[in-house]
Amino acid sequence: MGLKAQSDSYELNFAPDAWYNSVDGVRLGIRMAGNMEGEFRSGPHRMEAGVWLGTALPEDPVSYYFSFTEPIPSITSFANEGNVQLISTVRTGYSYHQISFNKRWQPGFDELKFKELSLGFSQERMIDLVYRPYPQLWQNDWKSMVNLDLWISEKWEKQKFDLQLTLLQNVNEASNYFTVGTLEVTEQIFFNDLFKLRLRGFGGYVTDNGAPEYLFGYSFGLPMEWLNSGISRAKGTLKETWLSDGLISFASGPNLRGYTRHDFEILSAGGTPQYNSIASINTEFEFPNFINKKLDGTIVGDFIELRSYLFGDVGRTFDKEETITLPMGENPIWIADAGVGLQFSINIPDYLGKDRGVAIRYEIPLWLSEPMGTEKHFKFRNLIGIGAVISF
């Protein structure tokens, strides 16, 4: 439908939406997107929103999401937008409200070469732990977070480089002052159309008194990031035994994927396998497979991909205490894993070339440097991954 405003036409598009978690039951609602006619999410007055009803009628059955983005004309040109964004949401037991200033610099027409800077302030609080599969990872105090995000992306003929830096500061004394810093650097080397090498370095640091939703595991990053996806936002969407058995991993943080079972067995027992300081290196060597070769020859090959790769991860925490111990009782310095994997991905980039899609991985961590208990170093292990370790 279109609404008239000052001789310009404003478009509102509606779409039904349904999802499931074990607290809301089937969650039914409607999504809305608004923009000036013909602007395709790149003009003024951009809006995204949604409202839902939990059919199981929990304590708070109605949830919502609202985002409004307004470009700043004086610092905006083609592909070089500066804007102010407002976000407000209360869903799956979490209340989050943010205002941010965002600026993008893109020197030409290649959307994969840019710099982005974001500065924001948010008020957030866990208001209902019943939605959380691991409530020990969350505090229910209000936090006042100042964030600074920097993203640098470069692309050459046979290489792609990305650097993402995030700094967070809780300025609410009632929930303890703490600082969070993460740095992620990725390098992709394309030897030819068949073979590729993907490298990723990750480092994370949280000061003392850091809230558990802002600490790191070996195999996962900040639990706060789980709220960004409907798959991991609330318990019951994924079968909880899949998590406790270490079958499911979320691509984030150190991503030492072979230690997913280690982390989630501790979580299921009520523990917190989390650290204030951690670093890791992830590698993937991609090789050709028959199915992807066939896809490349069709029009869907631009959007659908089946990657096959060998992977290896190595990392360590710099905390004084670790939860992995060697048989003789000494803490390991570095832990590592290696195996083989497949990644199925559907990707339809937005108008800035950013990924909008889903990636599902099936990985077999065949070797662990520090296996659990009496488990052998070499063993057939299954792992289903949600999201790409390195953006595709």
Side-chain angles (χ1 to χ4, degrees):
M1 63 179 291
L3 299 178
K4 291 293 183 178
Q6 296 181 348
S7 77
D8 292 325
S9 181
Y10 191 81
E11 295 181 332
L12 280 175
N13 298 298
F14 299 88
D17 188 65
W19 201 247
Y20 175 81
N21 64 64
S22 58
V23 180
D24 291 321
V26 177
R27 194 187 69 176
L28 299 175
I30 187 169
R31 288 183 176 271
M32 296 159 278
N35 53 256
M36 302 304 295
E37 186 176 16
E39 292 289 350
F40 187 62
R41 301 183 184 179
S42 62
H45 321 319
R46 303 195 300 271
M47 183 269 290
E48 293 184 9
V51 62
W52 301 271
L53 174 68
T55 58
L57 298 180
E59 183 176 350
D60 297 304
V62 178
S63 57
Y64 77 90
Y65 172 86
F66 176 81
S67 170
F68 184 81
T69 303
E70 187 65 32
I72 304 171
S74 61
I75 57 171
T76 294
S77 60
F78 176 76
N80 289 268
E81 182 176 280
N83 65 55
V84 174
Q85 183 180 33
L86 301 174
I87 294 176
S88 178
T89 180
V90 178
R91 60 180 170 182
T92 62
Y94 206 80
S95 179
Y96 181 86
H97 315 278
Q98 183 192 51
I99 181 170
S100 64
F101 164 78
N102 312 288
K103 181 68 177 89
R104 177 185 175 96
W105 296 269
Q106 181 181 311
F109 292 96
D110 189 343
E111 295 89 352
L112 298 180
K113 300 176 69 172
F114 63 87
K115 297 179 179 67
E116 284 190 352
L117 179 69
S118 178
L119 178 64
F121 174 77
S122 65
Q123 288 282 100
E124 55 192 64
R125 183 189 176 200
M126 178 58 60
I127 57 177
D128 194 346
L129 286 170
V130 71
Y131 285 91
R132 307 279 75 81
Y134 305 108
Q136 70 269 30
L137 295 181
W138 302 87
Q139 288 181 349
N140 61 0
D141 300 321
W142 278 106
K143 298 174 182 64
S144 304
M145 306 296 294
V146 177
N147 72 278
L148 175 66
D149 298 279
L150 174 65
W151 186 355
I152 300 174
S153 180
E154 290 287 345
K155 184 177 181 295
W156 302 276
E157 183 179 357
K158 293 185 177 297
Q159 285 181 277
K160 186 177 185 299
F161 170 84
D162 286 271
L163 182 150
Q164 292 178 264
L165 172 69
T166 297
L167 297 174
L168 297 163
Q169 176 65 51
N170 179 33
V171 295
N172 192 329
E173 183 179 9
S175 54
N176 294 320
Y177 300 126
F178 64 86
T179 304
V180 182
T182 64
L183 176 64
E184 180 179 343
V185 178
T186 62
E187 178 80 18
Q188 302 184 53
I189 303 172
F190 309 102
F191 298 113
N192 50 44
D193 293 337
L194 301 177
F195 297 95
K196 303 171 186 176
L197 178 64
R198 305 171 191 261
L199 305 171
R200 174 180 181 267
F202 176 85
Y205 178 75
V206 185
T207 56
D208 292 340
N209 298 321
E213 61 263 42
Y214 284 101
L215 299 179
F216 309 95
Y218 277 121
S219 65
F220 61 87
L222 308 180
M224 268 295 299
E225 296 174 351
W226 298 354
L227 301 178
N228 296 332
S229 170
I231 294 175
S232 55
R233 186 172 290 132
K235 67 181 181 182
T237 304
L238 293 174
K239 198 172 181 179
E240 289 189 52
T241 55
W242 295 351
L243 297 173
S244 60
D245 291 342
L247 180 62
I248 302 293
S249 74
F250 303 110
S252 64
N255 204 72
L256 299 169
R257 64 200 97 180
Y259 296 89
T260 301
R261 180 183 163 204
H262 162 270
D263 283 347
F264 280 87
E265 282 195 356
I266 294 175
L267 286 172
S268 298
T272 53
Q274 293 182 285
Y275 309 102
N276 289 73
S277 56
I278 201 162
S280 68
I281 297 175
N282 312 114
T283 62
E284 294 181 356
F285 179 74
E286 184 175 335
F287 56 89
N289 63 77
F290 175 78
I291 296 177
N292 200 58
K293 187 175 181 180
K294 288 295 184 182
L295 288 173
D296 282 342
T298 68
I299 189 172
V300 298
D302 292 335
F303 311 104
I304 297 177
E305 182 181 35
L306 181 67
R307 295 176 47 217
S308 49
Y309 53 92
L310 301 173
F311 69 82
D313 309 307
V314 60
R316 65 162 295 181
T317 173
F318 297 90
D319 290 16
K320 294 180 180 179
E321 296 182 2
E322 303 185 56
T323 57
I324 289 182
T325 56
L326 297 175
M328 64 285 292
E330 298 176 357
N331 288 331
I333 296 177
W334 294 93
I335 62 174
D337 61 61
V340 62
L342 289 170
Q343 176 178 297
F344 174 76
S345 57
I346 300 175
N347 180 37
I348 303 176
D350 65 11
Y351 71 98
L352 291 176
K354 292 184 179 179
D355 301 323
R356 289 190 306 164
V358 62
I360 304 295
R361 295 173 285 117
Y362 172 64
E363 295 173 326
I364 306 172
L366 293 171
W367 174 80
L368 301 183
S369 66
E370 306 297 334
M372 297 179 62
T374 59
E375 190 177 78
K376 295 181 179 179
H377 291 275
F378 286 92
K379 180 183 176 181
F380 188 90
R381 305 171 179 91
N382 292 294
L383 190 63
I384 304 297
I386 309 297
V389 179
I390 301 173
S391 295
F392 46 92

